[in-house]
Amino acid sequence: MIQRETYINQIRPYFNTDLVKVLTGIRRSGKSVMLKLIQDELEKEGIDRSRFISFNFESLRYAKLRDGMALYEAISSKIEHMTDKAYIFIDEIQEVTDWEKVINSLRVDYDCDIYITGSNAKLLSGELATYLAGRYVSFEVYPFSFKEFLNVLDKSPADPALQQDFNQYIQFGGMPEIANIKDYQTNADKYLQDVYSTIMLKDIIQRNNIRNVDLLERIIQYVLANVGHTFSSNSLAKYFKSEYRSGSTETILNYLKACCDAFLFYKVKREDVASKRLLSVNEKYYIADHGIRHAILGNNQANIDQILENIVFLELKRRGYQVRVGKVGNLEIDFVAVKADKKIYVQVSYLLASEKTIQREFEPLLEVRDNYPKYVITMDQLNFSRDGVIHQNIVDFLLSDQY
């Protein structure tokens, strides 16, 4: 079981605090394993496992506890037999009705340390914010980074076959279970297709009572094909109209939001770099795991520029950056990434194969008149850094700890 120290280091300062720890992210990204890793860490700190109370609502074993009151009573009966603090772990809590009231009541009624996971962004809005305002801390769990991918396959960054490993990562992505599939190069797509189907059914269709499933599937196919490309809901509606398919702008917006709420996609707004003003049209969308895209659409290598951009986007998110698409006059910067007092500008391309390509990728960064670091990330082995803009190979970027 890979340790995922990045997340443990983020969560550890909140052990034994009154704050509810909320882990979110796409289904199968490793949230359940994170709960086990947290339990291991607590045990290392001297907490006896007899004080752990765990429920996983993906299991039918707990189907009768999906009523909030039933769950509260089940947990209460366990806590009342304890003389010390209880540690509560609830996986996929969105399956429980009135779960927000349950968590708030447990926090108020008992001496307990609470950890919950969920596969829907609505966990952090609505009633949770109402009941637990200022009393929870959230962590988003992503599929494996390339560094974690190497780790779980017991590979080293110094391995001569590193580029082959990266090509595997480009194709299959980082969903944690991939590493446990025998001959995953042959069988991974089937698993990823099943993950996609589960997300579609449980986290998007059922949760949002979507009736026009055909339209939803077509929207998802369009977004998958246009990962990293700007488009608007209006342009999407016009596209479907040209294909003789109905779909209002409002419906398309709602379906896209449902996909983002399920962490299948991330919507990234555009920002005017000079004025810092957010632009209201033509956002970009990225997928939570590019391996799912390969399983649904086919060979990621055919759209390598988009996949590399998606990989860098997710890496920036893993490292805690807030990410926007930058606009400089009529030019675009792939990512403006901000974290606390740090800011970096990032362009992503496949290869700098000509002077024209070099100019296209470097020019937007050279137009930004500030002193924050600026990067062009590609698969080139040669260093094309110039005029203060740093060029870096994407594998080096993904394995570096400097950002």
Side-chain angles (χ1 to χ4, degrees), residues 270-274 279 326-333 364 367-368:
R270 297 165 70 233
E271 172 187 286
D272 185 286
V273 172
L279 306 176
K327 181 177 179 295
V328 186
N330 294 322
L331 302 175
E332 184 178 281
I333 298 173
E367 288 295 315
V368 180

Side-chain angles (χ1 to χ4, degrees), residues 110-169:
Y110 298 105
D111 181 15
C112 57
D113 193 11
I114 302 174
Y115 302 81
I116 63 177
T117 81
S119 301
N120 195 285
K122 290 179 181 176
L123 282 173
L124 302 181
S125 62
E127 290 193 26
L128 176 63
T130 300
Y131 281 97
L132 296 175
R135 298 186 179 92
Y136 72 90
V137 59
S138 65
F139 308 90
E140 188 163 349
V141 179
Y142 299 91
F144 284 158
S145 66
F146 180 54
K147 185 182 291 187
E148 290 175 316
F149 181 79
L150 291 178
N151 190 359
V152 78
L153 295 179
D154 199 24
K155 297 292 187 71
S156 164
D159 194 308
L162 184 63
Q163 189 58 56
Q164 278 185 305
D165 294 328
F166 185 59
N167 289 338
Q168 295 290 308
Y169 184 67

Side-chain angles (χ1 to χ4, degrees), residues 359-378:
Q359 182 176 349
R360 183 190 69 210
E361 300 301 332
F362 279 72
E363 185 180 3
L365 299 175
L366 294 172
E367 288 295 315
V368 180
R369 309 299 183 185
D370 64 29
N371 295 319
Y372 291 109
K374 300 169 182 67
Y375 298 91
V376 174
I377 308 298
T378 75

Side-chain angles (χ1 to χ4, degrees), residues 1-4 32-34 36-38 40 144 152 180:
M1 186 163 60
I2 188 170
Q3 293 305 302
R4 309 202 81 175
S32 301
V33 171
M34 283 306 309
K36 294 177 182 177
L37 292 173
I38 291 168
D40 291 345
F144 284 158
V152 78
N180 297 324

Side-chain angles (χ1 to χ4, degrees), residues 23-34:
L23 280 63
T24 61
I26 189 174
R27 191 177 290 267
R28 300 286 184 272
S29 61
K31 300 185 297 296
S32 301
V33 171
M34 283 306 309

Side-chain angles (χ1 to χ4, degrees), residues 350-363:
Y350 174 36
L351 293 170
L352 300 177
S354 67
E355 185 60 35
K356 182 178 179 180
T357 305
I358 293 172
Q359 182 176 349
R360 183 190 69 210
E361 300 301 332
F362 279 72
E363 185 180 3

Side-chain angles (χ1 to χ4, degrees), residues 236-248:
L236 195 46
K238 290 177 182 176
Y239 167 77
F240 286 128
K241 187 176 181 180
S242 72
E243 295 286 312
Y244 302 102
R245 300 284 176 181
S246 62
S248 69

